[in-house]
Amino acid sequence: MLLLTPAGLSPGGYTAKDTEATRADALLAQRFGAGLPDLVLRVHSTRDADDATVADAGLQLAENVAGRPGVQRVFSYWSEQDRRLLSRDRRTALVTVDLAGGDAQAADTARTLVPQLTGRHGPLSISATGSSWTSVQVSRLSQSDLIRAELFGAPLVVIVLLVAFGSLAGALLPALVGGLAVAATLAALRLLAPHYPVSVFAPNLTAALGFGLAVDYALLVVTRHRDELAAGASVRDAAAAAMRATSRAVFYSAATILTCLAALLLFPLTFLRSIALAGMLVVAFSAAGTLLVLPPALLLLGERLRRPARAPGTHPLPATPWARLARAATRRPALSASCAAGVLLCLLLPLGHIRFGPADARVLPADAEAHMVSRQVGAEFDVPWNRTLQVVLPQTDAFTHEQQVDAYARHLSTLPHVNLVDGATGTYRGGRQLSGPSPSAALYSAPGATWLAVVAAEPRAQDAALIDRLRNTSSPGNRLVSGEPARQADTQTALSDRLPLVAACIAATVGLLLFLLTGSLVLPLKTIIVGLLSLGATFGALVTVFQDGHLLALIGGSPPSGELILPVPLLMFCVAFGLGIDYQVFLLTRVLEEHARGRPLREALVTGVAATSRVITIAALLVALALLPLITSQLTILKMLGLGLALAVLVDATLVRGILVPAVMCLLGRANWWAPAPLARWHQRRAAPTAPALPPVTVPTARNDDRPATTPQDEKTR
């Protein structure tokens, strides 16, 4: 499948477009030739940077880089004599490089350029960081993660299936559907990549989500087929009965996950949109493979899938631990629901101090060059390039309005959380001018316009407040604020503005799908609330691990940055919510089937949990194994996404499915099926039969359960 991996994948897409920061960036590039550099070269020497030998080598380095293909502009300490590019010990200097083209073209240039420049060159020791070199290293590591997924993840899934089914034929069928779904999605992304920016992480998520989800669906069908064979049905009848019983669950599950992923298209980030497209493709191919490939495969394999026959007319299920747990939960539903919800609420508490940060070099492992050099630059230089805000005055000439610009710069330097202000009129701190115009002052001027560099002080948590102050402070003419912190703040604002719309679309569409499945308005509402509670618990765990650093060493993570990478929680919100609803759909479908046969609610719940326990437990384990390559990735984005999705799936498959859902449904009683009379009549006229003509299912009564089973009359009196 590695051969199907698309070429020319996008390394970026984490910044919202058409914001104040991006408009300021465009002005800086067009009128001043300035902006955040694509590459930052850290040039170190054992001697002073102004030593004649070191200075000559530094100038030659800058000239050499400037002459390379794909390089637009180069600034260095030696050519500009800009003290901001010189470290405090004067032995390290910076060379910043602007590359031509967009993110993908700049990354291609960096991939060729950096290996030629870094290393020991005479008296200079050169290393690199910056967005383009970070993108190159991220691409390499994501590719190695994809290879590991193919070499280790897929075989692990097959081994678990082999143990679960006890037959090679039964194990290979779900693996076949998963492999076909992933291969088809990668081929589709290969066709899409030349026309739309596809994230470099899309193949990794495709492999994990596709293998896990397709195997889930196929496992549901194959398990039901084997149950029908074991009950004495012929191969053809068993295949037909299995597809009748499971096709609705597969369809509604896939439709629910597709809805959640489609909501990502509403966010103004190409990263999220490309991941959404990849996810939607793999979900569609997984469902199509299950519904189209499995039926003929079941007929072709024939008797190879049959278990030893049981007595005709019965379909017994063992008294599994899940069945006993569901029986206990439905016996004392109020206590069980309170305990399960309490556990989830405790896991949710860390959300109270959640913070978000950018997807920068910190997504790489600590020993990766781009990450390591970024930390060194932050520690060695007074004016870190990634902590500087640019205040652009597009209609204010620095020389014509020198006094106004000077007064404005002085005032900005007095604002809280401002370390330094630099511009065409000099350098300022605390309302005082530290020095007049430097040799690099011309960089801050263009005909009829100027800009100021405002260096933010630590901590980063105060950046948003500083940006608001800069944008609300009166200025000599129009003003735009950019810089890495401003881009991050504007992106966070753009995403948070869209979040209510996205959440409403997901809730409305999922609610409609679940109404079509159940004919109830209460069950969709219950399912959504339980799904959000489970998802909140997962987010709380992510804050504990990746933001606070607890237990991070167990999964080989880099030291915590104190922030969660901004797009990941939104991606997880949609994907994990869809996966969580997935298992509830499996369970609800079986409960509805048993209830339609006339079983009382409590008995239908216990039977539904028992009937789906094997499938859901194995499915959750398989999804977790499919996500293992992401959890063990060296990239923080993939590690966070893999662990979050795995936790969400495991919580939904255990605590939610085994205790919370049965207990809440038992408490609701007849209210589970409530809908306004017109909607109820409409659903009854159009809904397909829930229970196919299959033999009845019996669940052994747990020991010491001397309570009488609930009767239909009991249920009517609830």
Side-chain angles (χ1 to χ4, degrees):
M1 291 184 192
L2 190 62
L3 296 176
L4 297 174
T5 304
L9 296 176
S10 170
Y14 306 106
T15 302
K17 304 299 183 184
D18 196 26
T19 63
E20 179 176 329
T22 56
R23 292 193 294 272
D25 287 338
L27 284 173
L28 284 168
Q30 294 168 4
R31 303 186 65 177
F32 302 93
L36 192 67
D38 297 296
L39 282 179
V40 177
L41 302 179
R42 176 183 177 269
V43 185
H44 179 72
S45 175
T46 57
R47 288 176 282 181
D48 190 286
D50 287 328
D51 178 86
T53 303
V54 175
D56 287 343
L59 286 170
Q60 291 177 9
L61 170 66
E63 292 174 0
N64 179 17
V65 175
R68 298 298 183 98
V71 174
Q72 283 188 328
R73 288 175 295 273
V74 176
F75 299 100
S76 74
Y77 165 69
W78 297 282
S79 58
E80 309 298 332
Q81 288 299 302
D82 188 343
R83 294 290 174 179
R84 296 176 304 163
L85 302 178
L86 183 64
S87 67
R88 285 185 290 272
D89 66 2
R90 301 183 56 83
R91 295 183 178 181
T92 304
L94 298 182
V95 176
T96 65
V97 184
D98 296 329
L99 302 176
D103 291 341
Q105 184 180 342
D108 288 339
T109 303
R111 186 177 290 108
T112 302
L113 184 62
V114 171
Q116 299 173 359
L117 297 176
T118 53
R120 190 75 187 181
H121 296 272
L124 307 179
S125 179
I126 305 170
S127 52
T129 187
S131 58
S132 294
W133 186 232
T134 297
S135 298
V136 172
Q137 295 197 299
V138 165
S139 299
R140 289 176 179 172
L141 289 177
S142 66
Q143 187 83 350
S144 67
D145 289 338
L146 188 59
I147 295 173
R148 187 168 64 252
E150 293 185 6
L151 294 179
F152 300 104
L156 278 176
V157 169
V158 174
I159 291 172
V160 172
L161 287 170
L162 188 59
V163 172
F165 281 106
S167 86
L168 184 61
L172 289 181
L173 267 184
L176 171 65
V177 175
L180 289 175
V182 174
T185 304
L186 291 177
L189 291 178
R190 192 178 183 89
L191 297 175
L192 180 64
H195 310 288
Y196 187 83
V198 176
S199 172
V200 70
F201 297 117
N204 303 77
L205 183 65
T206 292
L209 183 61
F211 225 88
L213 200 58
V215 169
D216 271 11
Y217 294 158
L219 180 65
L220 182 68
V221 175
V222 173
T223 299
R224 187 59 178 262
H225 176 74
R226 297 186 84 199
D227 287 343
E228 301 304 327
L229 288 176
S234 67
V235 171
R236 184 173 296 276
D237 290 343
M243 295 309 299
R244 283 199 306 271
T246 59
S247 59
R248 292 182 76 224
V250 172
F251 171 80
Y252 281 103
S253 170
T256 300
I257 299 175
L258 278 171
T259 296
C260 295
L261 288 170
L264 288 171
L265 298 174
L266 297 175
F267 287 116
L269 256 65
T270 55
F271 166 75
L272 290 177
R273 289 175 175 175
S274 67
I275 292 292
L277 291 174
M280 292 168 68
L281 285 170
V282 80
V283 171
F285 283 127
S286 297
T290 301
L291 299 176
L292 300 178
V293 175
L294 273 188
L298 294 175
L299 296 178
L300 288 174
L301 288 174
E303 297 294 329
R304 298 178 188 177
L305 295 175
R306 184 184 292 275
R307 291 197 189 105
R310 292 166 177 157
T314 63
H315 188 105
L317 291 170
T320 63
W322 291 114
R324 290 192 289 270
L325 184 63
R327 196 178 296 278
T330 55
R331 187 185 303 130
R332 295 181 177 83
L335 178 62
S336 301
S338 299
C339 291
V343 171
L344 293 177
L345 287 172
C346 288
L347 293 174
L348 186 147
L349 289 177
L351 280 179
H353 62 275
I354 190 171
R355 292 189 300 275
F356 300 107
D360 54 20
R362 292 174 295 174
V363 306
L364 292 164
D367 58 352
E369 182 182 14
H371 188 176
M372 184 170 56
V373 174
S374 179
R375 292 200 317 271
Q376 290 174 331
V377 170
E380 294 170 340
F381 291 80
D382 290 324
V383 186
W385 52 272
N386 59 349
R387 300 285 292 123
T388 301
L389 292 161
Q390 292 94 36
V391 180
V392 184
L393 304 173
Q395 298 172 345
T396 304
D397 188 277
F399 301 105
T400 306
H401 303 89
E402 182 177 356
Q403 291 183 349
Q404 292 94 321
V405 172
D406 175 77
Y408 182 57
R410 288 178 187 273
H411 178 63
L412 293 185
S413 70
T414 64
L415 295 178
H417 195 54
V418 170
N419 181 31
L420 194 74
V421 175
D422 201 7
T425 57
T427 302
Y428 304 83
R429 175 176 287 155
R432 295 185 301 107
Q433 186 181 50
L434 300 181
S435 62
S438 66
S440 60
L443 298 175
Y444 296 101
S445 298
T450 188
W451 67 279
L452 302 171
V454 179
V455 182
E458 294 291 347
R460 288 175 178 265
Q462 297 298 318
D463 284 352
L466 173 59
I467 294 165
D468 287 339
R469 292 189 191 100
L470 292 176
R471 289 175 172 171
N472 292 323
T473 299
S474 59
S475 58
N478 293 337
R479 164 265 314 124
L480 296 172
V481 178
S482 183
E484 184 61 36
R487 280 188 289 272
Q488 173 70 10
D490 285 356
T491 297
Q492 187 169 335
T493 299
L495 295 178
S496 61
D497 288 346
R498 292 288 180 90
L499 187 57
L501 174 63
V502 171
C505 290
I506 291 177
T509 312
V510 170
L512 175 61
L513 289 170
L514 292 177
F515 166 74
L516 295 176
L517 174 66
T518 65
S520 164
L521 291 186
V522 175
L523 284 177
L525 181 61
K526 182 272 303 177
T527 302
I528 291 172
I529 292 174
V530 169
L532 290 175
L533 184 61
S534 173
L535 193 57
T538 302
F539 281 171
L542 287 183
V543 171
T544 300
V545 175
F546 290 98
Q547 181 175 307
D548 301 338
H550 302 303
L551 305 178
L552 186 57
L554 294 180
I555 57 173
S558 300
S561 63
E563 299 168 329
L564 295 185
I565 299 170
L566 180 58
V568 175
L570 294 175
L571 178 58
M572 272 194 52
F573 172 78
C574 296
V575 178
F577 184 73
L579 289 176
I581 300 293
D582 182 44
Y583 294 135
Q584 293 197 55
V585 168
F586 288 177
L587 176 59
L588 277 175
T589 303
R590 193 56 183 261
V591 170
L592 288 168
E593 182 180 326
E594 298 301 326
H595 195 61
R597 290 195 177 103
R599 290 185 182 275
L601 176 60
R602 179 167 174 256
E603 189 178 340
L605 285 167
V606 175
T607 304
V609 171
T612 58
S613 61
R614 178 181 174 84
V615 171
I616 294 180
T617 302
I618 295 174
L621 179 60
L622 291 174
V623 171
L625 286 176
L627 293 167
L628 188 62
L630 299 186
I631 299 173
T632 58
S633 170
Q634 299 181 70
L635 297 170
T636 304
I637 284 183
L638 293 181
K639 190 181 292 290
M640 191 181 300
L641 187 60
L643 181 63
L645 292 178
L647 287 175
V649 166
L650 293 175
V651 168
D652 281 309
T654 54
L655 187 62
V656 172
R657 179 256 307 188
I659 299 177
L660 189 57
V661 169
V664 171
M665 289 187 68
C666 196
L667 283 173
L668 290 172
R670 294 190 55 167
N672 281 293
W673 323 115
W674 180 85
L679 288 178
R681 288 193 296 269
W682 180 89
H683 186 271
Q684 288 172 359
R685 288 196 304 269
R686 288 164 175 77
T690 306
L694 297 173
V697 180
T698 60
V699 183
T701 303
R703 289 184 180 181
N704 302 323
D705 187 7
D706 54 4
R707 292 172 176 258
T710 308
T711 65
Q713 184 63 35
D714 294 332
E715 188 180 348
K716 290 179 182 178
T717 60
R718 282 182 182 270

